[in-house]
Amino acid sequence: MREGADEKFAPLIISHQFGLVFCVWVVYNGIRGRICLAIMENGDVIMELKNFDKILERVPKMSRPMRVILAGSDGENMLKGIFAAQEKGLVQPVLVGDRARTITVLEQFGLEREPYTMVDTPPGHNITQEAIDIVNSGDGDVLMRGNIPTRDFLMPVLDKTNHLRTDRLMSHVSLASLPEYPKLLALSDMTVIIKPNLSQKKEIIRNMADALKAFGYENPKFAILSLMEKVT
């Protein structure tokens, strides 16, 4: 979201996971915006979302589909996910990447006749920067990582000249909906902050708490886990 935009529109940074746009890890709170407009009305939380089906039930409350800018548009799962979300009325796809490779994948899955906007980028061009420029111009709401390395996706996001950062630490939150568990699970941080110090750990928890509150969890419960079986 461009600086100064309406901060009720969210999320800002989305990456594909499990092939569904709304089943994602979200870079949160180091970026302007909130998670999931679908559960907000006039800036107030209206319900606690226990699974992704509940998010879909809120879709009619959205004023319009979110314009998702997919950076690196020739990935199979990303394309299937974004068009599945479009079918449900969630998004309008804007595909940024190599046109020929993207169309080849679309044809492979019978999606070439579906509505979308294509922004062709020549070889060697910074695809993520092109996608960010679209968001900053006001023609996009959501920046989504496609078939592009994590580093190449995040470096332009971290560039202060792109005006996507705030003064908060940027961390990621992974959301999971499990059939055998009665509510959403969130994990953080497994991608951005590799070796957090004590101060960064506090900020990660703060970001995670804000993210869960945006989903209606007023008093989220936290468990501190080690990435290794044995403490070192």
Side-chain angles (χ1 to χ4, degrees), residues 214-231:
F215 277 102
Y217 293 90
E218 286 300 316
N219 296 294
K221 298 177 181 179
F222 291 87
I224 309 301
L225 304 178
S226 171
L227 292 178
M228 301 180 67
E229 293 180 358
K230 296 182 179 180
V231 178

Side-chain angles (χ1 to χ4, degrees):
M1 184 180 298
R2 63 194 184 282
E3 195 169 32
D6 183 351
E7 294 197 358
K8 292 179 183 177
F9 280 87
L12 249 287
I13 305 297
I14 296 185
S15 177
H16 111 282
Q17 188 152 328
F18 310 124
L20 295 176
V21 169
F22 45 83
C23 183
V24 298
W25 66 259
V26 180
V27 177
Y28 186 70
N29 241 333
I31 304 294
R32 295 187 184 278
R34 296 173 178 163
I35 286 182
C36 197
L37 177 66
I39 64 164
M40 310 295 289
E41 283 186 355
N42 299 320
D44 298 322
V45 175
I46 55 176
M47 66 183 297
E48 179 180 290
L49 298 180
K50 296 182 180 296
N51 54 60
F52 294 114
D53 290 335
K54 295 298 183 181
I55 295 177
L56 292 178
E57 290 175 7
R58 298 301 306 176
V59 169
K61 296 294 184 179
M62 297 175 68
S63 60
R64 60 171 173 81
M66 305 292 272
R67 297 165 297 178
V68 176
I69 316 301
L70 177 61
S73 56
D74 58 333
E76 296 180 5
N77 286 337
M78 300 82 163
L79 286 173
K80 287 191 290 185
I82 200 171
F83 281 103
Q86 178 176 247
E87 185 177 356
K88 295 180 181 297
L90 288 167
V91 308
Q92 297 174 359
V94 179
L95 311 181
V96 181
D98 185 281
R99 180 189 298 273
R101 291 202 300 264
T102 299
I103 292 177
T104 297
V105 179
L106 290 174
E107 290 175 344
Q108 180 181 349
F109 295 104
L111 297 170
E112 71 277 8
R113 296 185 182 276
E114 297 296 324
Y116 64 90
T117 299
M118 182 75 222
V119 179
D120 191 21
T121 55
H125 192 76
N126 191 323
I127 294 174
T128 304
Q129 186 61 56
E130 181 75 32
I132 289 174
D133 290 343
I134 294 172
V135 173
N136 281 334
S137 72
D139 293 326
D141 305 303
V142 176
L143 179 63
M144 177 177 176
R145 178 193 162 206
N147 188 25
I148 188 170
T150 300
R151 175 182 173 83
D152 293 346
F153 180 76
L154 287 181
M155 290 304 290
V157 171
L158 294 170
D159 187 340
K160 293 182 180 180
T161 64
N162 282 320
H163 306 293
L164 296 179
R165 296 290 309 275
T166 69
D167 57 358
R168 294 276 292 271
L169 178 74
M170 185 175 71
S171 60
H172 105 278
V173 178
S174 180
L175 297 173
S177 178
L178 306 178
E180 63 274 16
Y181 197 69
K183 55 186 177 181
L184 292 174
L185 288 176
L187 298 89
S188 181
D189 179 310
M190 301 184 297
T191 299
V192 180
I193 311 298
I194 299 175
K195 294 183 178 180
N197 57 35
L198 181 59
S199 176
Q200 289 172 327
K201 289 177 181 178
K202 291 179 180 179
E203 286 300 305
I204 290 170
I205 292 172
R206 179 187 177 192
N207 287 349
M208 199 174 189
D210 287 349
L212 289 170
K213 286 180 180 179
F215 277 102
Y217 293 90
E218 286 300 316
N219 296 294
K221 298 177 181 179
F222 291 87
I224 309 301
L225 304 178
S226 171
L227 292 178
M228 301 180 67
E229 293 180 358
K230 296 182 179 180
V231 178
T232 59

